[in-house]
Amino acid sequence: MKEIEVTLTVNKRVHTVNVAPRMTLVDCLRDILRLTGTHVGCEHGVCGACSVMFDGEPVRSCLMFAVQAEGHEITTVEGLVGEDGEISDLQDSFWECHAMQCGYCTPGMLISSHALLMENPSPDDHDIREAISGNLCRCTGYQQIVEAVKMAAERRQEGL
Amino acid sequence: MKYQKIGQPVRRREDARLLKGQGRFSDDWSVDGQTYMAVVRSTYAHAFILGIDVEVARSMPGVLTILTGDDARLDNLAPIPHSPLPSTKHDMKLEGPNGSEVFIGDHTLLPTDKVRYVGEAIAIVVAETLAQAEDAAEVVSVNYDPLPAVTDTAKAAENGAPTIWDEVPDNICVETFFGDKERTDAAFAAAQDVVEMDIVIDRVTGVPMEPRAALGDYNLDTGRYTIYAGSGGSVRQKREIAEVLGVEGDTVRVVSKDVGGNFGTRNRLYVEFPLVGWASRKIGRPVKWTCDRGESFLSDYQGRDLVTRVSLALDDAGQFLAMRADNLSNVGSRMVSLSPLSKGSGLITGSYDIPVAYLRSRAVFSNTAPTNAYRSSGRPEVTFAIERLVETAAAELGYDPIELRRKNLVSSEQMPYPNAVGMTYDSGEYAKSMDMCMDLADWRGFETRKKEAESRGMLLGRGFANYVESSIGTPREQAEIHVRADGHIDLVIGTQPSGQGHETSFAQVAAEWLGVPVNTISVIVGDTDLVKVGGGSHSGRSMRMAGTVIVKAADELIEKSKKLAAVVLEAAETDLEFHDGKFQVVGTDREISLYALAEVVGRRSDLPEKLSVIEDNVMETPVFPNGCHICEIEIDPVSGAYKIARYTTVDDVGRAINPLIVDGQTHGGIVQGAGEALGELCAMDPESGQPLAGSFMDYHMPRADEYPSFKTELNEVPSPTNPLGVKAGGEGGTTPALAVLVNGFVDALRPFGVRDIQMPVTPRKVWELIKAGS
Amino acid sequence: MKAATFDYVRPASVDEVCRLLADAGEMERKIIAGGQTLVPLMAMRMSRPDMLIDINDVNGLSEIEDKGDHLVIGGCTRQRALERSEIISKRLPLLAKAIRKVGHIQTRNRGTIGGSIVHGDPTAEISMAALALEASVLLRSVSEEKEVPLDGFFEAAMVTNIEPDQILTEVRIPVWEGASIGTGFYETASRESDYAIVSAMAQIELAADGTIVKAAVSAGGVAPCPLKLRGVELALKGSKPAELSSALDGLDEEIDPDTDVHATAGYRSRVARRLITRAIEDAVSEAKNERD
Ligand code: FES
Ligand code: FES
């Protein structure tokens, strides 16, 4: 199949790649751009491991083809880290609360919670659980993730 | 002894990379020139393979090679040497019917005779891209001669069931008796009451979020295979891959770094791992395989699947007199592990003092994916059986379920307690844990909450269960400690974490012993060129085995360094004191740190030794984590929909090295157990043996919005069996969860005449029971 | 799995889309908007189109316009945009209530209103709300543009009355102007975010004296496709909320539930009855509050 040239911005850097139309966005991120932080847990749109920010909104990158990303802006977990390599306050709360075990779902969880906090700076437990209900985690039982998101929100509110 | 680092909620070191997307999971490895493998899998549950036509597939774009079982045979690939029989000193030993040797059967990589379950690998396609390999795999045409199939556990053991292995015409591969038949029979005969239940614990699967993957890279020049593949322990994988490929152990290097969940499913070798190595040698290029989710539902080793009949004899005061159990475990089509049957066999009497018991343990082949240990192998099943049985006994004989339990609980004074089938519980305060958990759960406030729920038209049920589980595991572990002059210490160990935080908790132990900061210790696991020996991570063994050997190695290191320090400081050994990572000449300010010592030792030719130790430890004695869980479930009788309103636990994990990690293990364990109680099921069509759950759309994975936050506490009773007092913290969440939840549902639905509910308890099932009873 | 191979085009206009569809011949050409239903099917190779026509760059397909007595919503409007739209929450409270239950945030960010409707899931919340409110859809092909009422658009599970050469460009949903309007929505799933097994929606308008003047009721999971319950609506109209229970007398004639892996027919009809009742009750009490 003929490949198509696509130009997309990932974590503020512009890339031009050639992809077959059937290549999903997540495969492009992982296999061509070698950004392996975004994971694949199902390829059929349920687990959320492949979540990325697409034009500022969280989406599942296994449910998009890379050709559809032409001209769009993507942020992956690698892009949540500051310019200086410092982790974000949300990542720090995840760390402090032990919000990951194997860490496989973590990039997707971070993306979903990051999106939640942008929209709702003071979520309660229910809001958080709803926001991450599209992300499967087999290890944590979700509780320490909920605690981490709450901690990040509270710290932001307190201006810490 | 007061510890400084052990017991602290230290932030995990591994998180520094995992948080930034810089973990290294199996599919994250890539090497130049790599190709991709797709697997052709059986679409029948049971069929002769008459032929495989690969001609069309071979001519597809990008295809490099297609290999079948015939090719594997020509190349003399050996079957996987699984060693399914538990064999350490304290395992419950299993045998074949009438004392015969257990028939294991070859786990051929690509069978040529017949397929025995849907999803069994029969050929591989290697192509330039994965999509091309999948395109070609689709058109590989297999000529099958279908045979009748059986997937159901009880049916597979019935007369006249289809035979999976000719060598075992009735499919029953294990039949072993434990306990004392005569005394049990006598106790039953003399009993005032007997309560009996038939229990089915259905098939589920582990579903680590990271699908299995392997990258094989054969080096033509050196003749060495490197396999990048996450598992439950690289050392075992390396040994078995080498055996399959027919090469010396060190010809194979297995590398695994981050592993995205295991839960037992990755402990044993899978066919695809040696296959990528073999294929790489065949085509002279690296070959990568990544399981897709549908494939993992078909071909991951699955879990649970036990049917049992249990009965309990009681005297007129409710004292337990004896117990019988008849356990039948489904091993699937190929025998990978008998761990679940064996583990469960040792714990049928649970937390209770039941003087005599008699148990028949059987295993049966079926046309299903092989089963293996799955989180808390064997223990949730028997905990479910005993706790459901006790609950039912209380309800039917008119006892308060709590009082009945208290009356029969194994007491602290009885420790170490030998149970009726031969396990000896090391330590524990079962009654205290019960009290703690009931307080924490506000047991007394339940009636008020129930009334309040009823005022909203809801039902509220309460579930309770005690548990005791065992941690045995491969008894040998080895640790190496290398002190580096640059201020770091390498700790090499043969376990394989998949989220348990070994890089942190092991470092805490070593740091405690050596008196250095936790972050100066680098824990090295997973690369068989660096880690030569190791038992992997399973059965809750890691913290205990590794902790013990680390302590031993650290003591040895201090001993050895002291001699060297004495030379360097020109002092008598007896004048040296070790603290905070350094040796000091008592009463002076002359001192030298371990690192400085390493530097000196490296430099001075008169001190040829390195500041390194290798220690081995063998520890057979098992430990018995235990505890108590309580839940409340609110049910909407209109639709049968429900929610878990509260869930409370008190667990005795022995000493907790890092409480944050233990809490996380408990939460995750609860949800994994609850998933099975509430929704997870590897449903299969009984006629065709076709799996009906092949994606996340039809396998009910637990999600964040289904659960409340849990209240969890520890009742740490250090185990006397090891220097740190560790038991295990990974399985306690799961072990009683099935029983607690089903007890809760039955409690709520008892007014509708419900005695028992088979898992998974779906809203529809609840609704039907309510309808039938009202 | 990786999807089977296909050609990809991204036209800029509806005309171009229609032409591509018209020229398909023997080929299967499929429109991709949000892709949230289509891509999983492709990833399992249960759908293998020869060409994907991406309409995300087509102008004018994602506007929400208030036309007075109805709203016009572009077929490619994201579900998330509906959720955030003030016009929708003010003018189409039933749709606003339903939309949050569609999938997850990540899928609503891509999924579109048109995609949800053309796929015809039997319990899809958007279809149910639109159907209850007597919405219609605008279908375009090279040869014609026609407005088709949603009542009759859903044929069977996952089958709708759209031709392979047509594109859904607009959804038109009537707006109720009354002063006291209330809505109710219930669904039962294995759990919250799953596809519903049974669902029920109602929008009710009360007169000043408390009489029901207008009723829109629909149910999902009780027939092969979403169902507008005209009989129930008729019975409700002109009645007082106190007479609610008799309004459902004819329900069994209207619904046609099936037994499948998720539920038996009996479960569906009994639960549907209760959920419909609850939805209507909620709508009535909300309408009362509006008035007071
Ligand atoms: S990989 Fe995209 S949702 Fe699972
Ligand atoms: S931490 Fe392992 S899947 Fe979430």
Side-chain angles (χ1 to χ4, degrees):
Chain A
M1 190 46 51
K2 204 170 92 265
E3 295 197 332
I4 295 178
E5 187 182 284
V6 177
T7 300
L8 69 175
T9 306
V10 182
N11 302 332
K12 306 211 172 87
R13 283 188 50 194
V14 181
H15 299 268
T16 300
V17 295
N18 287 310
V19 295
R22 61 167 152 175
M23 176 175 264
T24 57
L25 177 57
V26 65
D27 283 351
C28 171
L29 293 171
R30 289 180 55 80
D31 297 343
I32 299 186
L33 301 179
R34 294 276 188 234
L35 291 167
T36 52
T38 305
H39 294 154
V40 178
C42 69
E43 266 187 333
H44 53 250
V46 181
C47 76
C50 64
S51 301
V52 299
M53 301 298 285
F54 187 84
D55 295 340
E57 306 277 0
V59 304
R60 296 185 158 153
S61 59
C62 73
L63 292 189
M64 287 188 64
F65 295 106
V67 284
Q68 296 184 279
E70 170 68 45
H72 291 276
E73 242 180 84
I74 290 142
T75 305
T76 67
V77 64
E78 289 93 341
L80 295 182
V81 177
E83 305 272 315
D84 47 0
E86 276 294 295
I87 56 170
S88 69
D89 55 348
L90 178 65
Q91 286 164 312
D92 191 59
S93 304
F94 265 59
W95 200 350
E96 182 158 347
C97 294
H98 185 243
M100 78 216 76
Q101 291 181 27
C102 78
Y104 198 75
C105 69
T106 310
M109 287 290 179
L110 284 167
I111 292 286
S112 292
S113 345
H114 170 76
L116 169 71
L117 293 183
M118 285 187 351
E119 189 154 307
N120 177 358
S122 51
D124 61 17
D125 274 28
H126 182 269
D127 299 331
I128 298 170
R129 285 184 184 271
E130 188 189 333
I132 61 167
S133 69
N135 294 75
L136 297 179
C137 172
R138 192 53 150 170
C139 301
T140 63
Y142 303 105
Q143 186 155 332
Q144 288 169 324
I145 300 174
V146 175
E147 285 162 11
V149 179
K150 219 159 45 184
M151 176 186 283
E154 279 162 12
R155 288 189 175 164
R156 278 186 201 179
Q157 297 274 297
E158 290 160 13
L160 290 172
Chain B
M1 158 146 204
K2 184 93 186 73
Y3 292 129
Q4 311 285 318
K5 286 147 190 136
I6 290 175
Q8 296 303 310
V10 174
R11 284 184 176 212
R12 298 199 322 170
R13 308 198 56 199
E14 36 281 83
D15 297 357
R17 62 173 183 276
L18 295 174
L19 280 166
K20 297 186 198 165
Q22 288 167 352
R24 220 156 228 270
F25 295 90
S26 299
D27 184 65
D28 298 345
W29 300 96
S30 281
V31 289
D32 284 344
Q34 75 192 10
T35 63
Y36 296 84
M37 175 174 103
V39 181
V40 179
R41 297 185 183 277
S42 168
T43 51
Y44 282 89
H46 202 190
F48 288 119
I49 303 169
L50 301 181
I52 302 175
D53 184 353
V54 301
E55 280 324 302
V56 182
R58 218 187 274 288
S59 62
M60 302 272 290
V63 172
L64 297 165
T65 188
I66 299 179
L67 299 167
T68 67
D70 287 330
D71 301 304
R73 227 176 19 195
L74 284 174
D75 282 5
N76 286 318
L77 298 191
I80 301 178
H82 281 305
S83 57
L85 282 154
S87 60
T88 73
K89 192 164 152 206
H90 293 274
D91 280 316
M92 303 286 278
K93 304 293 179 315
L94 301 171
E95 50 192 31
N98 306 313
S100 62
E101 203 176 300
V102 174
F103 170 81
I104 293 171
D106 285 348
H107 192 169
T108 322
L109 299 194
L110 302 169
T112 49
D113 56 343
K114 62 175 185 175
V115 291
R116 291 174 170 84
Y117 67 100
V118 174
E120 178 149 42
I122 37 186
I124 56 171
V125 178
V126 181
E128 293 289 348
T129 71
L130 179 51
Q132 287 172 333
E134 287 174 347
D135 291 346
E138 271 190 321
V139 299
V140 168
S141 135
V142 184
N143 188 4
Y144 296 102
D145 180 10
L147 291 163
V150 61
T151 56
D152 180 80
T153 312
K155 291 214 175 77
E158 278 172 11
N159 267 337
T163 297
I164 319 299
W165 290 87
D166 291 343
E167 295 85 343
V168 189
D170 64 357
N171 299 328
I172 294 174
C173 45
V174 170
E175 181 169 36
T176 313
F177 298 88
F178 300 99
D180 187 329
K181 180 166 185 338
E182 252 164 64
R183 286 178 58 212
T184 304
D185 286 348
F188 268 87
Q192 164 82 24
D193 293 300
V194 170
V195 180
E196 184 170 272
M197 290 185 89
D198 285 304
I199 281 170
V200 177
I201 291 121
D202 224 315
R203 178 73 64 100
V204 290
T205 180
V207 199
M209 289 314 300
E210 181 201 18
R212 287 182 288 126
L215 168 59
D217 188 4
Y218 177 74
N219 186 316
L220 270 169
D221 300 327
T222 62
R224 263 192 116 203
Y225 298 87
T226 303
I227 315 276
Y228 303 87
S231 71
S234 300
V235 176
R236 179 190 194 123
Q237 304 280 322
K238 161 183 139 170
R239 187 179 64 231
E240 295 186 355
I241 291 171
E243 219 172 306
V244 170
L245 297 174
V247 297
E248 287 298 313
D250 280 341
T251 311
V252 175
R253 173 186 177 200
V254 175
V255 182
S256 96
K257 179 97 177 149
D258 290 306
V259 177
N262 176 3
F263 319 114
T265 61
R266 294 185 208 263
N267 288 344
R268 304 297 173 126
L269 183 63
Y270 285 91
V271 297
E272 293 89 355
F273 291 17
L275 283 174
V276 290
W278 177 51
S280 171
R281 197 191 63 188
K282 298 291 270 189
I283 65 163
R285 287 172 64 184
V287 176
K288 184 173 188 170
W289 170 77
T290 305
C291 198
D292 82 16
R293 185 54 67 184
E295 261 185 301
S296 59
F297 273 110
L298 294 179
S299 66
D300 280 3
Y301 299 143
Q302 301 181 337
R304 306 268 140 73
D305 207 336
L306 179 92
V307 300
T308 180
R309 164 168 294 182
V310 283
S311 42
L312 183 66
L314 303 89
D315 73 9
D316 56 3
Q319 200 74 50
F320 298 165
L321 300 174
M323 180 184 178
R324 283 193 192 119
D326 190 358
N327 291 3
L328 178 65
S329 164
N330 189 336
V331 297
S333 58
R334 296 188 183 269
M335 192 188 290
V336 170
S337 168
L338 290 168
S339 149
L341 181 64
S342 165
K343 289 269 166 51
S345 294
L347 292 166
I348 55 162
T349 55
S351 316
Y352 306 101
D353 180 17
I354 305 180
V356 289
Y358 188 58
L359 161 69
R360 176 167 74 156
S361 293
R362 291 184 299 159
V364 66
F365 284 115
S366 68
N367 293 113
T368 60
T371 56
N372 184 15
Y374 166 50
R375 196 162 194 173
S376 193
S377 175
R379 287 91 100 188
E381 296 91 306
V382 294
T383 303
F384 185 81
I386 184 75
E387 288 295 326
R388 290 286 305 118
L389 186 62
V390 170
E391 189 80 11
T392 305
E396 289 178 359
L397 306 176
Y399 295 108
D400 176 80
I402 296 301
E403 288 319 310
L404 188 65
R405 284 185 171 93
R406 268 194 220 287
K407 188 181 187 97
N408 290 286
L409 219 49
V410 173
S411 71
S412 309
E413 292 73 46
Q414 288 171 288
M415 296 292 176
Y417 171 82
N419 77 7
V421 282
M423 282 282 145
T424 300
Y425 304 167
D426 62 317
S427 63
E429 300 170 343
Y430 298 179
K432 182 177 168 201
S433 295
M434 257 182 87
D435 290 339
M436 283 175 68
C437 195
M438 288 171 70
D439 275 347
L440 194 62
D442 184 25
W443 185 264
R444 293 214 186 84
F446 174 73
E447 288 307 325
T448 315
R449 289 191 290 278
K450 185 173 172 161
K451 288 218 176 67
E452 188 277 328
E454 281 167 357
S455 74
R456 289 180 284 116
M458 299 287 163
L459 306 170
L460 192 68
R462 176 171 61 185
F464 183 99
N466 288 314
Y467 76 94
V468 55
E469 57 118 348
S470 59
S471 172
I472 307 179
T474 308
R476 180 172 175 216
E477 193 53 69
Q478 180 174 300
E480 297 176 26
I481 302 181
H482 308 286
V483 182
R484 301 192 333 222
D486 65 359
H488 281 89
I489 293 175
D490 288 339
L491 169 62
V492 180
I493 193 113
T495 61
Q496 174 61 59
S498 49
Q500 301 87 337
H502 293 176
E503 288 172 50
T504 309
S505 55
F506 293 0
Q508 282 179 268
V509 173
E512 181 78 51
W513 245 250
L514 298 175
V516 297
V518 176
N519 60 13
T520 55
I521 308 227
S522 311
V523 176
I524 295 172
V525 294
D527 180 341
T528 58
D529 275 5
L530 301 172
V531 186
K532 301 286 181 194
V533 178
S537 291
H538 59 266
S539 317
R541 73 181 285 278
S542 296
M543 195 63 240
R544 182 170 49 100
M545 297 295 177
T548 304
V549 74
I550 290 166
V551 165
K552 206 169 153 191
D555 281 340
E556 175 69 24
L557 179 79
I558 295 168
E559 190 79 357
K560 183 173 171 181
S561 314
K562 199 176 212 173
K563 294 199 172 67
L564 296 167
V567 176
V568 174
L569 293 173
E570 297 173 341
E573 252 185 77
T574 44
D575 288 341
L576 292 187
E577 196 182 63
F578 182 74
H579 63 85
D580 297 321
K582 47 193 182 215
F583 294 96
Q584 187 171 23
V585 182
V586 183
T588 72
D589 56 3
R590 273 160 58 216
E591 58 175 39
I592 186 163
S593 73
L594 282 172
Y595 313 116
L597 189 60
E599 193 266 330
V600 175
V601 166
R603 193 154 37 81
R604 274 171 61 168
S605 52
D606 61 324
L607 297 171
E609 295 216 51
K610 280 210 270 176
L611 225 49
S612 293
V613 292
I614 300 183
E615 266 306 301
D616 240 14
N617 188 54
V618 175
M619 189 162 57
E620 305 265 10
T621 320
V623 290
F624 295 82
N626 57 84
C628 173
H629 291 198
I630 297 170
C631 77
E632 290 178 19
I633 306 165
E634 186 175 300
I635 299 173
D636 178 354
V638 167
S639 62
Y642 53 75
K643 66 169 204 264
I644 313 300
R646 292 165 162 243
Y647 198 106
T648 314
T649 69
V650 170
D651 297 292
D652 169 11
V653 300
R655 186 182 313 282
I657 304 295
N658 184 330
L660 262 188
I661 294 180
V662 174
D663 277 349
Q665 287 290 321
T666 305
H667 301 153
I670 294 169
V671 168
Q672 206 152 17
E676 179 172 3
L678 306 182
E680 292 181 43
L681 176 67
C682 293
M684 287 169 244
D685 181 81
E687 295 301 313
S688 65
Q690 289 291 336
L692 302 174
S695 75
F696 284 143
M697 293 165 192
D698 32 37
Y699 189 87
H700 182 127
M701 285 286 284
R703 287 205 294 241
D705 56 355
E706 292 175 275
Y707 293 91
S709 285
F710 312 130
K711 272 196 199 165
T712 60
E713 272 188 17
L714 296 179
N715 177 16
E716 291 177 66
V717 183
S719 173
T721 64
N722 63 82
L724 291 171
V726 169
K727 288 175 183 166
E731 331 268 43
T734 304
T735 306
L738 289 57
V740 176
L741 287 163
V742 174
N743 277 342
F745 281 108
V746 173
D747 178 58
L749 300 180
R750 206 168 266 124
F752 300 90
V754 173
R755 182 192 198 231
D756 196 16
I757 311 176
Q758 190 178 323
M759 298 180 290
V761 186
T762 58
R764 167 179 156 195
K765 234 180 235 178
V766 170
W767 180 83
E768 271 159 9
L769 289 166
I770 292 173
K771 190 183 73 161
S774 41
Chain C
M1 261 180 127
K2 309 300 168 198
T5 188
F6 58 84
D7 282 321
Y8 172 84
V9 286
R10 192 168 50 231
S13 71
V14 174
D15 287 345
E16 225 181 308
V17 174
C18 292
R19 198 172 38 74
L20 284 161
L21 289 172
D23 292 348
E26 291 300 291
M27 308 280 246
E28 188 186 4
R29 295 185 169 175
K30 261 194 158 10
I31 290 176
I32 182 167
Q36 304 298 291
T37 307
L38 179 61
V39 179
L41 291 172
M42 291 175 67
M44 296 178 185
R45 298 203 175 182
M46 286 152 75
S47 172
R48 27 174 85 209
D50 301 289
M51 175 188 278
L52 280 190
I53 304 169
D54 186 342
I55 58 167
N56 283 288
D57 278 3
V58 174
N59 270 335
L61 280 185
S62 49
E63 263 101 76
I64 302 173
E65 271 177 277
D66 195 337
K67 300 268 183 185
D69 62 341
H70 70 277
L71 293 194
V72 171
I73 304 172
C76 209
T77 307
R78 308 260 178 233
Q79 293 156 8
R80 198 80 168 124
L82 301 177
E83 186 180 341
R84 287 174 173 155
S85 153
E86 270 188 38
I87 305 183
I88 301 283
S89 69
K90 273 210 199 89
R91 306 279 280 159
L92 296 176
L94 187 60
L95 182 63
K97 197 170 261 182
I99 197 79
R100 284 187 70 99
K101 296 282 180 182
V102 180
H104 296 277
I105 291 163
Q106 291 97 321
T107 61
R108 294 201 293 276
N109 273 327
R110 292 294 297 167
T112 63
I113 185 170
S116 175
I117 290 176
V118 294
H119 277 106
D121 185 85
T123 53
E125 294 85 353
I126 292 174
S127 297
M128 278 178 55
L131 178 65
L133 297 173
E134 310 206 316
S136 57
V137 289
L138 204 63
L139 305 178
R140 274 263 302 269
S141 67
V142 177
S143 51
E144 61 172 350
E145 175 172 78
K146 61 177 182 185
E147 187 174 345
V148 176
L150 274 191
D151 205 357
F153 182 73
F154 303 106
E155 280 234 308
M158 310 302 283
V159 185
T160 54
N161 268 323
I162 182 165
E163 298 299 326
D165 67 343
Q166 289 177 321
I167 168 177
L168 185 159
T169 52
E170 276 180 29
V171 183
R172 298 176 174 176
I173 309 182
V175 173
W176 292 13
E177 298 284 3
S180 76
I181 291 170
T183 59
F185 171 41
Y186 278 94
E187 59 184 9
T188 166
S190 291
R191 50 195 171 170
E192 257 186 47
S193 41
D194 276 350
Y195 279 133
I197 295 170
V198 182
S199 44
M201 278 184 200
Q203 179 162 312
I204 300 282
E205 184 185 341
L206 295 180
D209 67 349
T211 317
I212 296 176
V213 283
K214 255 172 127 175
V217 184
S218 65
V222 294
C225 41
L227 212 61
K228 183 167 171 65
L229 300 173
R230 293 203 177 274
V232 175
E233 289 174 356
L234 211 65
L236 285 172
K237 236 169 126 179
S239 69
K240 292 268 175 169
E243 301 145 14
L244 223 171
S245 59
S246 63
L248 265 61
D249 284 349
L251 181 67
D252 287 343
E253 273 88 80
E254 277 197 272
I255 62 176
D256 176 22
D258 231 336
T259 295
D260 63 13
V261 290
H262 301 296
T264 58
Y267 176 82
R268 289 179 189 280
S269 68
R270 304 260 306 239
V271 173
R273 178 173 294 272
R274 298 298 300 267
L275 296 189
I276 294 164
T277 311
R278 279 185 183 177
I280 296 170
E281 283 168 356
D282 272 17
V284 167
S285 81
E286 223 185 80
K288 274 191 190 138
N289 286 340
E290 281 288 300
R291 200 187 48 193
D292 300 338

